[in-house]
Amino acid sequence: MVFEIASWSNTQTELEEKKLKFYQRYGVEEYYIFDPEQGVLKGWLRSGETHSGKTLEAIDQMSGWVSPRLKVRFELSDQTLQLYQPNGERFATYVEIVEQREQERQDKELQRQRAQRAETALEQAETALEQAEAALVEEQRRAQALSDRLKALGIDPDQF
């Protein structure tokens, strides 16, 4: 299968005669040309018999055409070619793929930033806990020292 995208440098003779003959000679089963400037899709399918074997014959109606080899459906809408997978899902355009990748990159960056903020918050919480535990230990030490002084003076701190 060959799929050509016409550009300003291609000629109709080049695509529809010279290349068609070349692909005919070398056994291409399907040949498609899309001209995005004109919004024109043309196709040829290997079928029929001649003295030299099967030939590439023009496909009359390309909109809605399903490639026999790839099972890909071609649709023309407002001079735009849409291709559909065998399961009916539309193939994404180059622009859509780039946008999707950029969105995925942004999502990953956002997740990374969130994880970093969560890690910072956890570190701060651990530091605060360590400080609180140290303060509690210090308070317990002071309370024990005060209790010991009171007992040395003959006062029972449990009586208060």
Side-chain angles (χ1 to χ4, degrees), residues 60-159:
D60 294 329
Q61 176 59 31
M62 284 302 303
S63 190
W65 173 259
V66 176
S67 160
R69 172 149 304 273
L70 299 179
K71 308 296 186 239
V72 170
R73 182 169 42 97
F74 299 85
E75 291 291 345
L76 273 174
S77 173
D78 299 324
Q79 294 189 319
T80 301
L81 177 61
Q82 299 285 327
L83 299 177
Y84 292 85
Q85 299 176 34
N87 65 4
E89 184 178 333
R90 184 178 60 82
F91 282 98
T93 66
Y94 175 76
V95 171
E96 291 169 335
I97 291 169
V98 169
E99 289 172 349
Q100 180 183 8
R101 286 184 180 164
E102 177 59 20
Q103 184 62 49
E104 289 170 356
R105 187 199 62 76
Q106 289 176 4
D107 291 346
K108 285 180 183 177
E109 176 61 19
L110 184 60
Q111 289 175 353
R112 186 195 64 75
Q113 290 173 358
R114 286 179 181 160
Q116 189 174 19
R117 284 194 300 269
E119 186 176 334
T120 299
L122 179 60
E123 289 171 357
Q124 291 171 346
E126 287 173 344
T127 299
L129 179 60
E130 288 171 1
Q131 291 171 347
E133 288 174 343
L136 180 60
V137 167
E138 180 59 23
E139 286 301 314
Q140 289 173 340
R141 186 195 62 74
R142 285 184 181 168
Q144 186 61 45
L146 182 58
S147 176
D148 291 345
R149 273 200 197 150
L150 287 172
K151 287 179 183 176
L153 294 172
I155 302 171
D156 184 2
D158 293 330
Q159 294 298 317

Side-chain angles (χ1 to χ4, degrees), residues 22-31 44-48 53-57:
F22 177 83
Y23 297 139
Q24 170 68 38
R25 183 179 318 126
Y26 290 101
V28 168
E29 294 178 23
E30 300 175 47
Y31 176 45
W44 291 263
L45 179 65
R46 187 167 294 277
S47 62
K54 293 184 177 183
T55 61
L56 284 170
E57 294 182 3

